[in-house]
């Protein structure tokens, strides 16, 4: 069984009879067209439901050969006779490879586009195995798509179609000569025990097709590359963890004789009170782990890592393109979408063929569609930004509530103040709410993006997916990353000073960072979103289909005790959806953005991504083999629009990480203090040191300079008349009081210089790496040349032999005619 059509018996429907007759007529025409195209159909009624009828479709040898030639499908000519070089890591990867006695390695062949007239030149040992299951299903699907487009578009809604999974995943085949491919895939690929094993990619491609194969190849390659990033990230984290006790500025914050004597200014108007710097002792210790020299090293490393990942993936993709015969996968081979073809009412002249063809819209109509769709995309992106502004307003307003509710004593002796500051409470609750809003908006924007893309009416499925990919990623980029961009680059940057604070919308006072900066808050935001997203996606992708199938099986068992055939069991599995692997790619590319764009603030992100991906591979495999109908196999040359999207993220990641280190962390101010302001002429220490950093980087404010609108309600305790705040400004009484001091301009210059140097160094290294590593390996180039040579030699020489043979027969006839003309007559 190569394919299955499903429909509801029209005679048992309870709706309008006129519609039933129309549906029946359309279905009968559709089925007769399939039969006329050579397919064999067999109808059988459902065991569980008398209304449902299954039409099993089989493609005989003649049909397979005919359409293989029409579709330019490349098939084996002869086994690969090139010597393969053994990799130095083969001895190591052998421990993680699939058992070759269970799943035998696919033999490599040189291939050529199939032609029936050259049938004898192709490597055919068994006609039943010459076309693999994925190719057979793809050919049958192509035949179905070639019927009348109007009927086809109607039938797509009327008749669900799917490829049969062939056998149970839980039981091996009873025939040793015909192993169950689904069972082998479940046992050696989808089962959790294989979490550390490599994937049988050739076997996956053979069963599910190139499109699914290339996804799992990319996901496996990305996961393997994450191992290196995770190891370096953990190393940088451990460096910060073990060096935190030597963090001088944190020790000063926690020192009762230094931080204990520093009284900080209120961080909001009226309801906030003065507070002691030692309150932030615990957060400063945590910040020392992430805001260390290891962070800088890791940010530079990740800038280079992402380039290596993309360049080596190009090489791997080129190998798969050759091995899976998608190198010359042309647009002409891809079928036009029925939705497009059904609306082709306008006639235009094709520039290439100079022949008339039908299109769904004119050039003017296309411009109108593009304009409307672009406007809709920007409108919804603005709505997302509005939701982000709503979260910011929440942060600003709720900070007042926490400041008034949580106990805030100057001595900071209460245990709750040690861990739960108003900043921490605001950050955690805002991150959780932001995550919930992101998940809700995802559901809305997904439907919006599909509606916009449907209105665009792309010609092929690839064009449809690429267009949808661009829109969805723009939505998701703003949705997921906007809150992180706010914390990293805007929070605490434009706050003014206690006597002249800056207000949002003229009402809400801008947020301030902790004395150690906003880096720890960015880390918290990333941890909540990345961790919550992984848990949510796994629940949505795995638990929901499993529960639906469980309920379906329970209802089926309650209705009938008969043995249910395989095709009916498959029909009651969950449909995979017309977008197929789109959401899997989207999930992984969003994760790729988190791993690269903000990794300077969270070096453990690659480790979390690695753990998630190891589970993701097996969960996706488990879903495909056990919970979903078998997807119609499709060709795919590469990962499509996701490749340029990742390249764009890689370029942006260098800028964001450089700016996080410069503007979000306190690394640059600390270095400026160490090298310039700890020693004369600006400092009083005799040698370079970090002592005195906290006192030097907190400005002084006279409490008598408070405006009435921001003056705190709580009375001032103590004899001091000043409080401190995070900024680099001259003290009260100075001729330039409350203006930025020389330290501020040194820090700004150092930050800009750091960004320019870091960006140029990493971009230069990226350019060198891209230039050195070729997109196609020499081994693959040799295989392609050898294949072209064999194609010319075997197929073209065969044509030459036929021509010579034909010419020889003609020459013999001419000679015979000449001999009979000049032969003397016998008397």
């Amino acid at each position: 069984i190569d394919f299955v059509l499903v429909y509801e018996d029209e005679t048992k429907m309870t709706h309008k009879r006129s519609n039933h007759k129309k549906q029946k007529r359309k279905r009968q025409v559709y089925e007769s067209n399939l039969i006329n195209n050579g397919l064999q159909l067999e109808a059988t009624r459902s065991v569980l439901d008398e209304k449902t009828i299954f039409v099993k479709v089989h493609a005989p040898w003649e049909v397979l050969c005919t359409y293989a030639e029409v579709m330019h499908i490349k098939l084996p000519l002869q086994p690969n006779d090139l010597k393969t070089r053994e990799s130095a890591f083969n001895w190591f990867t052998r421990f993680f490879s699939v058992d070759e006695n269970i799943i035998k390695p696919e033999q490599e062949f040189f291939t050529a586009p199939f032609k029936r007239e050259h049938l004898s030149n192709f490597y055919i040992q068994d006609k039943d195995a010459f076309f693999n299951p994925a190719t057979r299903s793809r050919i049958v699907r192509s035949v179905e798509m070639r019927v009348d487009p109007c009927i086809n578009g109607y039938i797509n809604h009327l008749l669900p179609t799917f490829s049969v999974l062939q056998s149970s995943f839980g039981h091996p085949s009873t025939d040793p000569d015909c192993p169950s491919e689904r069972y082998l895939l479940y046992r050696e690929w989808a089962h959790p025990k294989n979490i550390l094993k490599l994937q049988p990619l050739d076997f996956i491609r053979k069963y599910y097709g190139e499109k699914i194969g290339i996804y799992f190849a990319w996901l496996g390659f990305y996961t393997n590359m994450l191992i290196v990033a995770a190891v370096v990230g953990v190393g940088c984290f451990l460096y910060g963890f073990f060096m935190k006790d030597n963090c001088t500025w944190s020790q000063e914050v926690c020192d009762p004789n230094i931080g204990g004597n520093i009284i900080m200014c209120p961080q909001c108007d009226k309801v906030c009170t003065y507070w002691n710097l030692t309150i932030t002792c615990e957060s400063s210790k945590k910040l020392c782990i992430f805001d260390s020299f290891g962070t800088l090293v890791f940010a530079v490393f990740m800038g280079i890592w992402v380039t290596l990942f993309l360049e080596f993936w190009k090489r791997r993709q080129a190998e798969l393109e050759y091995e899976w015969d998608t190198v010359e996968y042309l647009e002409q081979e891809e079928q036009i979408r029925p939705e497009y073809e059904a609306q082709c009412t306008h006639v235009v002249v094709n520039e290439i063929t100079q022949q008339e063809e039908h299109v769904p819209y004119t050039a003017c109509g296309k411009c109108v569609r593009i304009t409307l769709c672009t406007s809709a995309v920007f409108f919804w992106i603005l709505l997302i930004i509005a939701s982000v502004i709503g979260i910011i307003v929440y942060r600003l307003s709720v900070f007042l509530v926490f400041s008034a509710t949580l106990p805030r004593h100057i001595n900071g002796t209460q245990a709750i103040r040690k861990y739960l500051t108003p900043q921490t409470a605001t950050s955690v609750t805002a991150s959780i709410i932001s995550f919930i809003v992101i998940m809700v908006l995802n559901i809305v924007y997904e439907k919006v993006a599909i509606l916009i893309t449907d209105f665009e009416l792309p010609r092929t499925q690839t064009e449809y997916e690429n267009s949808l990919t661009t829109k969805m990623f723009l939505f998701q980029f703003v949705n997921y990353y906007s809150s992180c961009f706010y914390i990293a680059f805007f929070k605490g940057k434009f706050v003014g000073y206690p006597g002249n604070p800056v207000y949002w919308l003229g009402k809400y006072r801008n947020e301030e960072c902790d004395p150690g900066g906003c880096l720890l808050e960015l880390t918290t935001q990333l941890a909540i979103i990345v961790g919550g997203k992984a848990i949510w996606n796994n629940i949505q992708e795995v638990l929901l289909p499993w529960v639906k199938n469980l309920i379906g099986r329970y209802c089926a068992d309650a209705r009938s005790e008969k043995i249910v055939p395989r095709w009916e069991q498959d029909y009651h599995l969950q449909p995979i959806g017309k977008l197929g692997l789109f959401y899997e790619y989207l999930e992984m590319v969003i994760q790729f953005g988190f791993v690269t764009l903000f990794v300077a603030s969270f070096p453990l992100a690659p480790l979390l991504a690695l753990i998630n991906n190891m589970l993701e591979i097996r969960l996706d495999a488990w879903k495909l083999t056990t919970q979903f109908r078998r997807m119609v196999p499709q060709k795919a040359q590469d990962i499509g629009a996701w490749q340029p999207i990742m390249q764009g993220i890689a370029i942006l990641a260098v800028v964001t990480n450089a700016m996080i280190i410069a503007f979000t962390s306190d690394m640059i101010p600390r270095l400026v203090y160490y090298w310039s302001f700890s020693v004369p002429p600006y400092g009083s220490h005799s040698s370079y040191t970090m002592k005195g950093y906290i006192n030097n980087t907190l400005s002084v404010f006279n409490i008598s300079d408070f405006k009435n609108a921001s003056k705190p309600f709580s009375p001032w305790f103590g004899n001091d008349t000043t409080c401190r705040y995070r900024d680099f400004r001259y003290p009260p009484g100075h001729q330039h009081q409350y203006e930025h001091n020389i330290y501020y301009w040194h820090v700004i210059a150092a930050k800009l210089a750091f960004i320019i140097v870091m960006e140029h160094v990493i971009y230069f290294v990226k350019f060198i790496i891209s230039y050195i590593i070729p997109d196609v390996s020499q081994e693959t180039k040799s295989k392609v040349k050898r294949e072209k040579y064999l194609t010319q030699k075997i197929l073209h020489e065969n044509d030459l032999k036929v021509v010579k043979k034909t010419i020889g027969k003609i020459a013999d006839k001419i000679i015979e005619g000449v001999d009979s003309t000049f032969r003397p007559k016998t008397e």
Side-chain angles (χ1 to χ4, degrees):
I1 303 172
D2 298 312
F3 227 77
V4 176
L5 306 176
V6 189
Y7 69 92
E8 190 173 350
D9 191 350
E10 296 87 352
T11 60
K12 298 184 180 295
M13 289 184 180
T14 57
H15 306 296
K16 293 182 180 180
R17 292 188 177 181
S18 58
N19 290 338
H20 301 165
K21 291 179 180 179
K22 184 179 178 181
Q23 287 182 3
K24 185 174 183 180
R25 221 169 26 246
K26 293 255 186 184
R27 177 180 57 77
Q28 288 173 344
V29 171
Y30 182 76
E31 290 177 345
S32 64
N33 285 343
L34 296 182
I35 294 171
N36 292 337
N37 279 276
L39 296 180
Q40 297 174 359
L41 309 183
E42 179 188 348
T44 180
R45 196 172 291 276
S46 169
V47 173
L48 301 175
D49 182 7
E50 289 295 322
K51 295 180 181 180
T52 306
I53 294 177
F54 296 92
V55 180
K56 294 172 282 183
V57 183
H58 170 70
W61 171 258
E62 293 297 323
V63 173
L64 294 173
C65 290
T66 300
Y67 281 92
E69 184 172 356
V70 171
M71 297 169 65
H72 309 289
I73 294 176
K74 299 180 76 173
L75 293 167
L77 272 179
Q78 72 171 47
N80 186 351
D81 55 2
L82 289 177
K83 293 182 179 179
T84 56
R85 286 175 293 181
E86 290 290 329
S87 172
F89 298 99
N90 275 0
W91 65 271
F92 180 73
T93 57
R94 195 176 295 116
F95 294 106
F96 302 98
S97 299
V98 177
D99 189 349
E100 295 183 359
N101 295 321
I102 299 174
I103 297 181
K104 296 180 180 179
E106 292 292 318
Q107 187 177 2
E108 285 192 33
F109 289 96
F110 292 120
T111 60
F114 183 78
K115 290 186 177 180
R116 295 193 64 177
E117 60 191 55
H118 300 147
L119 186 62
S120 59
N121 297 117
F122 285 90
Y123 191 82
I124 303 175
Q125 288 188 321
D126 181 4
K127 283 187 175 183
D128 293 333
F130 184 59
F131 295 96
N132 63 42
T135 303
R136 295 180 68 98
S137 294
R138 194 158 61 89
I139 289 174
V140 173
R141 183 60 174 167
S142 176
V143 176
E144 292 178 351
M145 299 286 284
R146 289 174 187 272
V147 300
D148 185 347
C150 294
I151 296 178
N152 196 5
Y154 181 82
I155 291 295
N156 274 347
H157 300 285
L158 180 65
L159 300 181
T161 61
F162 61 95
S163 299
V164 182
L165 285 165
Q166 295 184 343
S167 59
S168 171
F169 68 86
H171 305 286
S173 174
T174 55
D175 184 359
D177 296 328
C178 184
S180 168
E181 292 170 328
R182 186 188 182 194
Y183 170 76
L184 292 178
L185 282 170
Y186 174 75
R187 177 183 168 185
E188 299 298 323
W189 177 45
H191 199 278
K193 69 182 179 67
N194 304 308
I195 194 168
L196 297 178
K197 283 190 175 183
L198 298 174
Q199 302 179 83
L201 293 175
D202 289 328
F203 201 64
I204 297 168
R205 172 250 178 173
K206 177 182 175 182
Y207 190 70
Y208 285 109
E210 287 78 9
K211 195 164 192 175
I212 288 182
I214 198 84
Y215 164 73
F216 281 103
W218 172 79
L219 181 55
F221 187 85
Y222 170 46
T223 304
N224 292 339
M225 288 292 291
L226 277 174
I227 295 174
V228 181
V231 170
V232 178
V234 170
C236 293
F237 173 80
L238 292 177
Y239 171 83
F241 180 79
F242 289 118
M243 294 297 291
K244 72 179 190 311
D245 294 333
N246 299 326
C247 190
T248 306
W249 66 270
S250 177
Q251 292 173 355
E252 290 186 349
V253 170
C254 299
D255 191 337
N257 296 320
I258 301 176
N261 293 326
I262 295 178
I263 307 302
M264 301 296 293
C265 298
Q267 290 187 322
C268 65
D269 294 339
K270 295 185 178 181
V271 296
C272 292
T273 185
Y274 304 95
W275 53 285
N276 196 290
L277 183 62
T278 53
I279 289 174
T280 62
C281 176
E282 290 301 319
S283 63
S284 68
K285 290 179 181 178
K286 296 173 186 174
L287 190 59
C288 285
I289 299 175
F290 298 100
D291 194 2
S292 65
F293 180 72
T295 301
L296 173 60
V297 174
F298 190 54
V300 174
F301 167 79
M302 287 301 292
I304 298 171
W305 173 88
V306 71
T307 305
L308 290 172
F309 163 64
L310 292 174
E311 291 302 317
F312 281 120
W313 167 246
K314 287 180 186 177
R315 285 170 65 91
R316 177 60 177 148
Q317 188 169 258
E319 292 175 8
L320 293 175
E321 285 178 12
Y322 168 75
E323 292 172 6
W324 294 354
D325 298 318
T326 60
V327 177
E328 299 175 358
Y329 175 56
L330 305 176
E331 185 181 351
Q332 293 91 315
E333 295 182 44
E334 190 172 8
Q335 298 293 322
I336 298 174
R337 295 173 64 239
E339 294 87 349
Y340 177 93
E341 205 166 5
Q343 297 190 34
C344 290
T345 56
H346 299 278
V347 179
V348 296
V349 177
N350 191 304
E351 294 180 354
I352 299 172
T353 63
Q354 294 298 314
Q355 295 179 353
E356 289 186 350
E357 63 178 22
H358 290 79
V359 294
Y361 37 67
T362 60
C364 181
K366 186 175 183 179
C367 290
V368 171
R369 284 174 182 265
I370 292 174
T371 303
L372 291 175
C373 292
T374 305
S375 302
V377 169
F378 280 112
F379 172 74
W380 282 98
I381 287 177
L382 289 175
L383 284 183
I384 301 174
I385 295 174
S387 69
V388 174
I389 293 175
I391 297 293
I392 295 172
V393 171
Y394 164 82
R395 300 172 70 100
L396 299 176
S397 57
V398 82
F399 180 75
L400 300 175
V401 177
F402 283 127
S403 298
T405 305
L406 294 176
R408 301 200 62 156
H409 296 290
I410 290 180
N411 58 16
T413 55
Q414 293 196 20
I416 189 173
R417 289 295 302 120
K418 192 175 182 181
Y419 300 100
L420 188 62
T421 64
Q423 293 96 331
T424 304
T426 302
S427 175
V428 172
T429 56
S431 297
I432 294 172
I433 292 174
S434 177
F435 169 72
I436 295 171
V437 170
I438 285 171
M439 292 296 113
V440 172
L441 291 180
N442 276 349
I443 299 172
V444 177
Y445 298 139
E446 172 190 320
K447 299 184 183 302
V448 171
I450 292 173
L451 286 173
I452 295 173
T453 309
D454 288 341
F455 179 73
E456 276 184 11
L457 208 61
R459 184 173 179 271
T460 64
Q461 185 65 22
T462 300
E463 291 177 4
Y464 182 91
E465 290 181 3
N466 288 344
S467 178
L468 183 62
T469 296
T470 305
K471 295 179 185 62
M472 280 294 289
F473 182 76
L474 284 174
F475 289 152
Q476 302 280 18
F477 184 89
V478 179
N479 200 15
Y480 275 109
Y481 302 142
S482 53
S483 58
C484 296
F485 273 101
Y486 165 73
I487 294 172
F489 305 124
F490 295 99
K491 183 182 176 183
K493 304 299 184 295
F494 313 101
V495 295
Y497 61 95
N500 187 26
V502 176
Y503 291 88
W504 261 76
L505 306 174
K507 180 179 180 182
Y508 300 100
R509 180 170 169 175
N510 217 341
E511 284 186 283
E512 295 184 34
C513 295
D514 280 335
C518 286
L519 192 69
L520 188 61
E521 186 173 344
L522 180 59
T523 304
T524 305
Q525 177 85 0
L526 286 170
I528 290 175
I529 292 180
V530 173
K533 178 176 172 292
I535 296 170
W536 172 264
N537 285 335
N538 286 330
I539 290 174
Q540 192 177 25
E541 294 177 9
V542 177
L543 192 60
L544 290 180
W546 179 75
V547 170
K548 288 180 180 178
N549 287 330
L550 192 66
I551 294 172
R553 282 196 297 269
Y554 176 79
C555 294
D557 292 341
R559 280 185 291 172
S560 175
E561 297 180 358
K562 299 177 182 178
I563 298 175
V564 181
R566 168 53 45 201
W567 55 83
E568 189 162 353
Q569 293 179 35
D570 293 348
Y571 174 68
H572 290 292
L573 295 176
Q574 297 302 306
I576 202 167
K578 66 177 183 178
L579 294 178
L581 297 169
F582 171 80
Y583 298 107
E584 310 297 338
Y585 274 117
L586 181 63
E587 176 188 352
M588 289 296 105
V589 173
I590 292 294
Q591 181 207 85
F592 177 77
F594 280 118
V595 167
T596 53
L597 290 173
F598 306 101
V599 75
S601 66
F602 192 35
L604 293 180
L607 177 63
L608 295 181
L610 174 64
I611 296 170
N612 176 77
N613 289 7
M614 291 174 68
L615 295 172
E616 182 76 20
I617 290 174
R618 306 304 159 182
L619 289 174
D620 286 347
W622 176 79
K623 285 189 303 182
L624 285 178
T625 53
T626 65
Q627 302 302 310
F628 285 93
R629 297 175 193 166
R630 185 177 171 193
M631 185 179 176
V632 178
Q634 298 177 19
K635 273 282 196 196
Q637 188 173 5
D638 48 36
I639 60 175
W642 300 111
Q643 181 82 20
I645 285 175
M646 288 193 295
Q647 289 172 340
I649 291 175
I651 294 171
L652 182 61
V654 178
V655 180
T656 56
N657 284 305
M659 292 182 68
I660 285 173
I661 293 174
F663 292 106
T664 309
S665 80
D666 255 15
M667 185 176 296
I668 303 300
R670 290 200 301 268
L671 290 174
V672 170
Y673 175 81
Y674 182 84
W675 292 107
S676 298
F677 285 80
S678 64
V679 294
Y682 301 110
S684 58
H685 297 282
S686 58
S687 60
Y688 299 113
T689 180
M690 284 301 296
K691 291 182 179 179
Y693 171 75
I694 289 296
N695 187 61
N696 193 269
T697 55
L698 292 177
S699 299
V700 180
F701 180 76
N702 194 324
I703 61 173
S704 62
D705 294 334
F706 271 119
K707 294 180 179 179
N708 292 331
S710 56
K711 192 173 184 178
F713 290 139
S714 58
W716 172 253
F717 296 97
N719 298 321
D720 292 336
T721 58
T722 60
C723 60
R724 310 294 291 272
Y725 61 99
R726 176 184 165 84
D727 207 342
F728 306 110
R729 295 178 183 268
Y730 288 113
H734 193 276
Q735 59 177 347
H736 300 292
Q737 69 173 4
Y738 302 138
E739 294 182 8
H740 290 299
N741 57 23
I742 189 68
Y743 191 4
Y744 172 83
W745 298 111
H746 273 72
V747 169
I748 289 294
K751 287 180 176 182
L752 295 177
F754 171 80
I755 291 174
I756 293 171
V757 171
M758 180 176 172
E759 284 182 2
H760 282 69
V761 168
I762 295 180
Y763 282 139
F764 178 74
V765 174
K766 286 165 73 72
F767 172 77
I768 296 297
I769 291 173
S770 301
Y771 180 78
I772 291 175
I773 302 176
D775 292 347
V776 183
S777 65
Q778 189 60 44
E779 183 180 356
T780 303
K781 289 179 180 177
S782 299
K783 289 179 179 179
V784 172
K785 291 177 181 178
R786 174 68 175 163
E787 183 174 278
K788 288 183 177 179
Y789 168 76
L790 285 175
T791 303
Q792 292 176 350
K793 181 180 178 182
I794 296 175
L795 301 184
H796 295 183
E797 286 185 2
N798 184 65
D799 291 340
L800 189 59
K801 289 177 182 178
V802 173
V803 172
K804 286 181 178 179
K805 189 175 180 181
T806 305
I807 293 175
K809 291 179 179 179
I810 294 172
D812 290 342
K813 289 181 180 180
I814 292 172
I815 292 171
E816 288 178 4
V818 171
D819 288 346
S820 63
T821 304
F822 293 98
R823 188 176 299 140
K825 294 181 180 179
T826 56
E827 297 183 357

